Amino acid sequence: MDRTSLIKGHLEMCVLAILSRQKSYGYEIMKELEKHNLKLKGVGSIYPILTKLSEQEWVYTSRELTESGKVRVYYEINKKGQRALTNKIAEWLHLQNDIKSLLADNMKETNEDDYINKN
């Protein structure tokens, strides 16, 4: 499985985490993901996730006029989305611990940094 596939599996959680800090628009969210080395292929990759979060009623959307006269859609996490984020983080932490437990013997044989540095 390539890194992009792994990122996509956790994208909802990552986007909600970004939105828990401040309301934002699609391109700005993409840039924030990239700051954390969570690059996606193409800017359009983020919009299906934002649509899904909106349909699940985890975010509010608003339209604002930019200085250039364009309308920009902003997304803001709501209480339902914050609860979903909390649950997703808990699930992710449990999964991470389960995987580390499974791989513990392999990781004892070598330094964890050896695995990280290969990417």
Side-chain angles (χ1 to χ4, degrees), residues 95-105 107:
L95 177 62
Q96 181 183 10
N97 286 334
D98 293 343
I99 292 171
K100 279 186 175 182
S101 173
L102 176 71
L103 299 177
D105 290 339
M107 293 173 74

Side-chain angles (χ1 to χ4, degrees), residues 11-28:
L11 195 55
E12 281 183 19
M13 177 178 61
C14 295
V15 170
L16 287 171
I18 291 167
L19 294 175
S20 72
R21 295 184 205 118
Q22 67 182 32
K23 75 178 184 176
S24 190
Y25 56 95
Y27 184 73
E28 193 172 51

Side-chain angles (χ1 to χ4, degrees), residues 46-59:
I46 195 71
Y47 293 102
I49 295 298
L50 291 169
T51 299
K52 184 177 179 183
L53 295 177
S54 182
E55 288 171 353
Q56 291 172 311
E57 299 179 347
W58 291 353
V59 297

Side-chain angles (χ1 to χ4, degrees), residues 35 54 62 65 78 90 100:
K35 277 192 219 176
S54 182
S62 61
L65 196 60
N78 59 31
K100 279 186 175 182

